[in-house]
Amino acid sequence: DGKLLSSDVTHYMIPDWKVVQDYLEILEFPELKGIIFMQTACQTVQHQRGRRQYNKLRNLLKDTRHDCILFANEFQQYCYLPRERGESMEKWQTRSIYNAAVWYYHHCQDRMPILMVTEDEEAIQQYGSETEGVFVISFKNYLDNFWPDLKAAHELCDSILQSRRERENESQESHGKEYAEHLPLEVLEAGIKSGRYIQRILSSLHTQHRALLGVHDVLVHGMKARNRSIHGDVVVVELLPKTEWKGRTAALCENDSDDKASGDPPSEPMPTGRVVGILQKNWRDYVVTFPSKEEVQSQGKNAQKILVTPWDYRIPKIRISTQQAEALQDFRVVVRIDSWESTSVYPNGHFVRVLGRIGDLEGEIATILVENSISVVPFSEAQMCEMPVNTPENPWKVSPEEERERKDLRKTHLVFSIDPKGCEDVDDTLSVRTLNNGNLELGVHIADVTHFVAPNSYIDIEARTRATTYYLADRRYDMLPSILSADLCSLLGGVDRYAVSVIWELDKTSYEIKKVWYGRTIIRSAYKLFYEAAQELLDGNFNIVDDIPEFRDLDEKSRQAKLEELVWAIGKLTDIARHVRAKRNRCGALELEGVEVRVQLDEKKNIHDLIPKQPLEVHETVAECMILANHWVAKKIWESFPHQALLRQHPPPHQEFFSELQECAKAKGFFIDTRSNKTLADSLDNANDPNDPIVNRLLRSMATQAMSNALYFSTGSCAEEEFHHYGLALDKYTHFTSPIRRYSDIIVHRLLMAAISKDKKMEIKDSLFSNKDLEELCRHINNRNRAAQHSQKQSTELFQCMYFKEKDPENEERCISDGVIYSIRTNGVLVFIPRFGIKSAAYLKNKDGLVISCGPDGHSEWKPGSLQRFQNKITSTTTGGESVTFHLFDHVTVRISVQASRCHSDRIRLEIISNKPYLTPDAELFHQSSLVLKSDLVKEVTRSVEEAQLAQEVKVNVLQEDYQKYCQTKGRSLYALLEEIRDLALLDVSNSYGM
């Protein structure tokens, strides 16, 4: 990558394997320079600390802001040392690293002192004075002597050392084991091969006691059976005898926790096992809460050993050593797990840093970022130096060289964009025209991001690490700097821009594709239209012309001519899109629940309002053109590079996941045929209740939940029949149309350019990823996409809770709403609230064992009694003989409140207060889209936070500072969030699963 060690240092530092393993977060401090990581140490981290820790180390080595390199000592002729007979692995690793340090010192012509840093006292004694110029000292001594002023590093080092001493003392004092020892690696591998053991990824059920493995095929029940494994670990499981198999209950659980206390009968027993070994640990940074003062006192005599509670319910409590428990009890804090010995009930860890106060907006947002392993750092000076300049003094211009090499469409094509009102990052434009032979030409033109982002450049490595733009409820974190995302790679109207185009020649009547051209172009978009304006023109309502800036200064004759030209183009595009859509529909393309909302911005680009958006045909027109481009680019890059193309697959869902959907539809008299995407699409289209449109919406939402995730993959890693995209009904699909905000699209652009060069028998300029490297990159992008989806969902839930937390649920009109029952459980129901888009549980039996009872007027109260669950309904009967039955899809009146939690995220709580539908005094308000009030929600929460800051006289210029530092926005961002969801819904089936 061209990354070199700095020569402007007094020494080079080489950490041994134990230092890299235990002190990696200190080695991440940018102040520490001239670090040489040996291959031997890195491989030890990979094998002993798992994938996450190893990936952190790899990212540190790639990060241009850190002065460190990797030296492959085991592949260097004079550094490699074979392991001697009887020599322990640890001794060989230390000896290898020291030998490499000596070679490196001589390699630098004995001019640069080398410090090997180790925790091995024997090594310090043995090697400390063996070679002049090579010094061997402890890590603590290294910090004390060379970095005495680096306070944060010293505190972290002390925390780690204290944690280690506590573990060693505890191990010596312990007389018994809490857990079985893990089997040796060779035994585990042999057992997997023979079929005695099975390998799975542990997926916890929001609890410390139960977990599912793989595709819900094995249950691990209890802490003992989990045997120190944590959510996300790759584990080896031994199945128990059938007589010991357990089942799951269908009860609602408080905080999604274990159903052990529900008292409900379990389901049919399923395969149950116990963990006998861990192949790969998934340990990461965890956000935790310290116990209250009373809880600290109740934990026992040694108050320095504290059990902290992770924000994530699926993670067990972590024991850390600290004297700051009382001072930190009101804060969210980051810790790392160091070990989990068989003699310890809980894992041991150490304090890393403080995030913020519990309940404060910025602290809670920081929690969401850490929990999803999202690192938001400013773009570095080195990265920004690679960016082009576009200022009034030095405006950017098309270069003569690019004019010669690109197809120039500026004078020959009517190019225009159709986007949400106020959109600034325009990454796609369209064109359509009639050719001389009478056929049509359709063009999709995408911003040429790869012209500005060279492979393996500093900005490319950063974009690869981020992999996507992250959208939260009130802000966004861009993948690329704003000079690209909002300026030179935004295809704005009336300015010259570089594009990558796909242009088809279509039959003039049938619209069948005759030929296709791919290549780099220069465009000048003639119109920057917003969706509603394009729809008005399509419908023949030309009064909207006054709202289109490009028409304002034209004389009447020119205006009329240009208007006719534009109206014809929009109409022709829509006709073509109808044809393309119909063709996909015949193959079984699915239309599942998407977000229907328009964001209205004020002059300062802040959110002014969210307005219910009627589905517009131009939405589908644009979407179909993008799908068509993605499909044809997928075919092209696969044909050119059959074993190393990046495509997107959407596997067919597991049929058992459709059972709840089918049962719910059956309750309304509908049959859902799930044998294929075609039969599913047809069934959902037919499942319409004319008296209640919410029914179809909920059924489509359930179908979405049953879907598998769509994933990026390398074509060399699976057979061609597995390429299929189930939701879009296409044999090959990729992402090409959003390179501003998706790194996958950048890779696809490079593959397309290489394919064009290959066709022309020209040299391929950019080296392409091998199948193995591309598959690893796809795993990373898929992981980051999941993180983006989770953080987006969690931030939305955070704002919902902060909004309702300030309301009085007893008196506030907005806290009472209509809800629809969409799932029946043994102790309650799941309810959907259309007005707010909220789904949550409503209990019919409370903690005191009382059941819900509804009088003649429908209003509810709690009384002694029992519940009886049936397939599509649940009946509550009091001891006095009163009964009430709730059916699937019944409308009920619910009260919305917030279930506050000090240690975890707050949650929306629903209480059924009437078994009758809620009739709001404001009928218009009731009929608004579910997301209409989210504008009020975000604005009100943000406003209250800002008022609190002002009251404390905290003066922070948040918007400017964050935008300049992080390319983050705090006003216009929700429009981007919702448009992203809409794009995913229209283009890729599911807004929840990002098809």
Side-chain angles (χ1 to χ4, degrees):
D1 296 336
K3 188 177 175 186
L4 301 174
L5 279 177
S6 169
S7 58
D8 186 25
V9 291
T10 60
H11 64 275
Y12 289 148
M13 190 263 274
I14 296 178
D16 86 339
W17 62 276
K18 185 69 173 167
V19 170
V20 177
Q21 188 170 280
D22 290 350
Y23 297 99
L24 182 58
E25 59 260 55
I26 299 179
L27 297 174
E28 290 173 330
F29 278 49
E31 291 87 350
L32 272 61
K33 299 180 183 298
I35 304 176
I36 302 166
F37 289 96
M38 293 295 169
Q39 173 193 2
T40 302
C42 296
Q43 288 178 338
T44 306
V45 170
Q46 182 181 17
H47 294 141
Q48 295 195 10
R49 282 301 171 95
R51 182 182 69 247
R52 280 186 182 272
Q53 190 84 339
Y54 181 60
N55 284 341
K56 284 179 75 71
L57 176 56
R58 292 181 63 192
N59 290 336
L60 174 65
L61 286 162
K62 291 176 184 176
D63 195 330
T64 54
R65 288 165 294 198
H66 292 272
D67 184 26
C68 60
I69 60 155
L70 171 68
F71 179 58
N73 61 301
E74 293 182 24
F75 295 134
Q76 210 281 340
Q77 182 177 357
Y78 303 107
C79 290
Y80 174 72
L81 290 177
R83 188 173 163 192
E84 295 175 353
R85 183 183 295 273
E87 184 178 29
S88 70
M89 178 65 76
E90 291 80 5
K91 292 295 180 189
W92 171 77
Q93 289 164 341
T94 302
R95 188 165 63 91
S96 293
I97 292 171
Y98 176 74
N99 187 60
V102 173
W103 179 89
Y104 217 97
Y105 174 66
H106 296 315
H107 175 68
C108 296
Q109 299 177 342
D110 300 356
R111 293 178 183 175
M112 180 68 77
I114 301 289
L115 270 69
M116 176 177 163
V117 182
T118 180
E119 294 296 280
D120 187 338
E121 287 296 331
E122 286 185 26
I124 294 173
Q125 294 296 323
Q126 182 178 352
Y127 303 125
S129 56
E130 185 173 294
T131 306
E132 185 181 355
V134 179
F135 305 90
V136 184
I137 61 173
S138 72
F139 191 64
K140 184 77 169 68
N141 285 342
Y142 176 73
L143 288 180
D144 289 343
N145 287 290
F146 291 91
W147 302 100
D149 299 327
L150 202 55
K151 186 180 176 183
H154 284 273
E155 289 175 351
L156 202 47
C157 183
D158 292 341
S159 173
I160 294 168
L161 286 171
Q162 186 177 359
S163 176
R164 184 191 296 161
R165 284 193 293 268
E166 297 281 1
R167 291 200 308 274
E168 289 170 353
N169 292 338
E170 182 185 288
S171 180
Q172 291 169 4
E173 294 169 5
S174 178
H175 299 292
K177 294 185 183 298
E178 297 289 341
Y179 301 98
E181 292 291 347
H182 293 149
L183 298 178
L185 181 61
E186 55 269 22
V187 176
L188 297 176
E189 290 175 342
I192 293 168
K193 190 175 285 188
S194 68
R196 180 181 178 185
Y197 304 139
I198 54 176
Q199 176 183 326
R200 293 290 187 273
I201 296 176
L202 190 91
S203 178
S204 301
L205 297 175
H206 302 277
T207 170
Q208 314 310 330
H209 301 283
R210 300 169 72 89
L212 286 172
L213 298 158
V215 189
H216 295 201
D217 59 352
V218 182
L219 184 68
V220 176
H221 187 87
M223 287 280 279
K224 294 284 187 187
R226 289 181 60 157
N227 195 5
R228 295 170 286 150
S229 57
I230 290 176
H231 173 76
D233 285 353
V234 180
V235 296
V236 179
V237 176
E238 178 181 43
L239 287 181
L240 299 173
K242 282 192 176 182
T243 53
E244 298 180 39
W245 286 9
K246 299 182 182 297
R248 289 185 291 156
T249 75
L252 296 172
C253 309
E254 197 73 29
N255 293 330
D256 289 337
S257 62
D258 188 30
D259 52 35
K260 61 187 180 299
S262 66
D264 293 286
S267 63
E268 285 294 313
M270 62 186 294
T272 305
R274 66 185 184 96
V275 173
V276 295
I278 302 174
L279 294 180
Q280 197 170 68
K281 294 184 177 74
N282 192 43
W283 297 353
R284 56 173 172 82
D285 286 359
Y286 298 103
V287 179
V288 302
T289 304
F290 277 67
S292 64
K293 191 173 182 179
E294 296 75 21
E295 289 171 325
V296 170
Q297 292 170 352
S298 70
Q299 284 192 15
K301 57 183 179 180
N302 190 348
Q304 288 188 7
K305 289 183 179 179
I306 300 296
L307 278 177
V308 294
T309 304
W311 186 82
D312 187 339
Y313 282 102
R314 299 168 300 186
I315 307 302
K317 288 182 178 179
I318 302 167
R319 184 168 49 192
I320 68 170
S321 297
T322 181
Q323 296 177 338
Q324 303 296 318
E326 191 172 336
L328 293 173
Q329 63 182 358
D330 295 326
F331 292 86
R332 300 265 187 235
V333 174
V334 178
V335 303
R336 284 185 186 170
I337 294 176
D338 297 318
S339 66
W340 195 348
E341 309 300 335
S342 60
T343 53
S344 175
V345 177
Y346 296 104
N348 294 290
H350 65 270
F351 166 91
V352 176
R353 68 183 187 276
V354 175
L355 285 182
R357 283 190 175 274
I358 296 169
D360 281 1
L361 177 60
E362 292 306 315
E364 297 300 327
I365 289 290
T367 294
I368 290 170
L369 294 176
V370 170
E371 281 295 319
N372 290 285
S373 301
I374 297 172
S375 175
V376 183
V377 293
F379 291 107
S380 70
E381 185 179 346
Q383 291 158 359
M384 295 307 295
C385 283
E386 295 176 339
M387 294 295 94
V389 175
N390 188 26
T391 63
E393 302 77 30
N394 187 13
W396 178 87
K397 287 184 276 193
V398 171
S399 73
E401 182 186 356
E402 292 296 326
E403 274 188 314
R404 287 192 299 272
E405 293 189 1
R406 293 172 180 263
K407 181 179 280 193
D408 194 338
L409 309 181
R410 289 175 290 185
K411 295 179 180 176
T412 56
H413 289 63
L414 175 67
V415 176
F416 57 94
S417 61
I418 306 176
D419 285 288
K421 207 167 191 176
C423 176
E424 291 180 1
D425 49 347
V426 181
D427 49 14
D428 58 81
T429 54
L430 299 163
S431 67
V432 63
R433 63 175 185 162
T434 303
L435 298 174
N436 293 333
N437 61 6
N439 285 339
L440 294 169
E441 182 190 81
L442 168 66
V444 171
H445 315 282
I446 306 300
D448 189 359
V449 173
T450 56
H451 172 79
F452 300 100
V453 180
N456 293 318
S457 60
Y458 293 147
I459 198 63
D460 181 55
I461 292 169
E462 180 64 27
R464 190 187 311 163
T465 302
R466 298 187 183 204
T468 183
T469 291
Y470 297 98
Y471 295 94
L472 305 188
D474 68 330
R475 65 194 74 188
R476 84 172 189 221
Y477 298 103
D478 289 331
M479 184 181 79
L480 294 170
S482 57
I483 181 65
L484 296 184
S485 60
D487 190 359
L488 295 181
C489 290
S490 185
L491 307 180
L492 304 169
V495 292
D496 294 344
R497 290 290 182 258
Y498 295 150
V500 177
S501 301
V502 184
I503 300 174
W504 300 268
E505 182 179 333
L506 310 175
D507 183 90
K508 59 186 174 185
T509 53
S510 68
Y511 298 144
E512 290 301 315
I513 294 170
K514 297 289 187 184
K515 62 172 78 166
V516 62
W517 179 89
Y518 308 89
R520 281 186 151 134
T521 55
I522 304 172
I523 64 167
R524 184 184 298 142
S525 178
Y527 303 99
K528 183 175 177 288
L529 300 175
F530 54 96
Y531 282 120
E532 290 75 13
Q535 187 65 48
E536 290 291 319
L537 294 177
L538 182 65
D539 295 339
N541 301 325
F542 300 140
N543 293 333
I544 195 71
V545 168
D546 294 333
D547 293 337
I548 301 174
E550 291 86 353
F551 283 104
R552 283 179 191 158
D553 299 326
L554 298 176
D555 60 72
E556 189 57 36
K557 186 176 179 183
S558 301
R559 181 177 170 137
Q560 190 59 36
K562 287 186 174 293
L563 178 60
E564 287 177 6
E565 181 186 39
L566 179 60
V567 169
W568 176 87
I570 295 172
K572 191 55 69 177
L573 277 176
T574 304
D575 283 345
I576 294 168
R578 287 171 187 156
H579 170 81
V580 173
R581 173 73 193 183
K583 190 173 181 181
R584 285 199 307 111
N585 281 345
R586 288 194 294 272
C587 297
L590 294 167
E591 186 67 59
L592 300 180
E593 188 195 25
V595 176
E596 296 178 356
V597 64
R598 175 167 68 80
V599 183
Q600 195 175 77
L601 307 175
D602 62 20
E603 292 175 357
K604 296 180 180 178
K605 306 302 177 191
N606 294 317
I607 302 168
H608 175 63
D609 204 358
L610 295 180
I611 298 170
K613 181 176 67 180
Q614 298 302 318
L616 303 178
E617 190 170 14
V618 289
H619 290 142
E620 282 199 13
T621 297
V622 174
E624 284 303 328
C625 292
M626 298 304 117
I627 292 171
L628 189 68
N630 287 333
H631 173 52
W632 278 82
V633 168
K635 292 201 296 184
K636 178 65 179 175
I637 61 176
W638 173 74
E639 287 165 1
S640 298
F641 307 105
H643 303 297
Q644 56 191 116
L646 186 151
L647 299 189
R648 192 157 173 82
Q649 64 185 167
H650 182 209
H654 294 273
Q655 286 298 312
E656 61 267 27
F657 292 172
F658 283 123
S659 57
E660 185 174 14
L661 167 66
Q662 291 171 319
E663 290 300 326
C664 288
K666 191 176 176 182
K668 277 287 183 179
F670 302 124
F671 172 69
I672 304 294
D673 187 345
T674 62
R675 289 174 298 173
S676 70
N677 53 356
K678 171 65 174 163
T679 59
L680 175 60
D682 292 343
S683 299
L684 289 171
D685 287 342
N686 294 328
N688 272 306
D689 183 344
N691 299 316
D692 191 357
I694 296 293
V695 171
N696 188 263
R697 184 174 169 187
L698 279 169
L699 291 175
R700 290 182 185 274
S701 176
M702 288 179 193
T704 302
Q705 297 301 316
M707 293 291 160
S708 310
N709 285 342
L711 299 168
Y712 298 109
F713 70 102
S714 171
T715 50
S717 63
C718 60
E720 189 179 347
E721 54 267 23
E722 296 174 30
F723 293 3
H724 187 75
H725 197 294
Y726 177 87
L728 295 177
L730 293 170
D731 60 339
K732 292 175 187 69
Y733 192 68
T734 194
H735 275 163
F736 159 75
T737 53
S738 292
I740 289 175
R741 56 182 183 261
R742 292 190 301 233
Y743 191 75
S744 56
D745 301 49
I746 288 179
I747 296 297
V748 168
H749 276 235
R750 289 176 182 154
L751 283 163
L752 181 61
M753 292 304 104
I756 294 168
S757 297
K758 189 176 180 183
D759 287 349
K760 295 178 178 177
K761 299 197 167 33
M762 294 167 57
E763 181 187 354
I764 296 175
K765 293 179 182 177
D766 300 334
S767 59
L768 303 178
F769 284 98
S770 66
N771 172 58
K772 183 181 177 182
D773 290 342
L774 184 58
E775 190 59 25
E776 183 181 343
L777 177 61
C778 288
R779 277 195 295 271
H780 167 68
I781 297 174
N782 291 331
N783 174 277
R784 292 296 80 211
N785 281 350
R786 280 191 292 271
Q789 291 162 10
H790 292 158
S791 60
Q792 177 183 295
K793 179 175 180 286
Q794 289 163 354
S795 70
T796 302
E797 291 169 350
L798 168 66
F799 270 85
Q800 287 174 341
C801 288
M802 293 185 81
Y803 176 75
F804 284 108
K805 206 170 187 177
E806 298 173 358
K807 310 294 180 192
D808 179 0
E810 298 294 332
N811 301 312
E812 183 76 36
E813 187 271 331
R814 283 187 175 178
C815 292
I816 310 297
S817 191
D818 188 66
V820 184
I821 295 171
Y822 70 92
S823 185
I824 306 288
R825 301 298 170 88
T826 55
N827 59 342
V829 293
L830 295 177
V831 178
F832 171 60
I833 303 176
R835 179 173 166 187
F836 294 104
I838 291 172
K839 290 179 179 177
S840 192
Y843 288 86
L844 303 183
K845 178 188 279 188
N846 66 15
K847 289 180 178 178
D848 299 324
L850 303 178
V851 299
I852 196 168
S853 172
C854 295
D857 61 351
H859 284 82
S860 66
E861 56 182 315
W862 297 103
K863 293 183 178 180
S866 61
L867 297 176
Q868 189 174 10
R869 180 195 182 203
F870 302 92
Q871 195 165 39
N872 300 317
K873 62 183 180 180
I874 185 170
T875 298
S876 172
T877 307
T878 67
T879 52
E882 304 161 353
S883 70
V884 59
T885 299
F886 297 91
H887 298 81
L888 275 175
F889 300 112
D890 275 357
H891 284 251
V892 293
T893 301
V894 296
R895 178 183 289 121
I896 306 169
S897 60
V898 175
Q899 181 179 318
S901 172
R902 187 172 160 276
C903 297
H904 310 289
S905 60
D906 292 344
R907 294 179 180 243
I908 293 290
R909 181 173 175 270
L910 302 182
E911 180 186 356
I912 296 176
I913 59 174
S914 171
N915 64 343
K916 300 185 185 305
Y918 177 62
L919 300 175
T920 175
D922 187 345
E924 182 183 345
L925 183 66
F926 177 74
H927 289 297
Q928 286 183 357
S929 166
S930 65
L931 286 168
V932 172
L933 297 174
K934 285 190 181 174
S935 62
D936 296 333
L937 185 151
V938 172
K939 283 192 291 185
E940 190 165 325
V941 171
T942 306
R943 186 170 61 246
S944 65
V945 169
E946 289 170 353
E947 287 170 356
Q949 289 175 335
L950 288 171
Q952 297 168 20
E953 296 184 346
V954 178
K955 298 177 181 179
V956 188
N957 189 353
V958 176
L959 181 62
Q960 276 303 324
E961 182 183 327
D962 284 346
Y963 185 77
Q964 289 170 6
K965 250 181 113 177
Y966 300 110
C967 288
Q968 155 195 331
T969 55
K970 278 201 175 189
R972 125 189 212 286
S973 54
L974 189 58
Y975 111 80
L977 160 69
L978 295 166
E979 285 304 322
E980 276 292 297
I981 298 173
R982 183 195 59 74
D983 286 347
L984 288 171
L986 288 171
L987 294 176
D988 274 343
V989 181
S990 164
N991 62 307
S992 300
Y993 282 77
M995 300 301 174

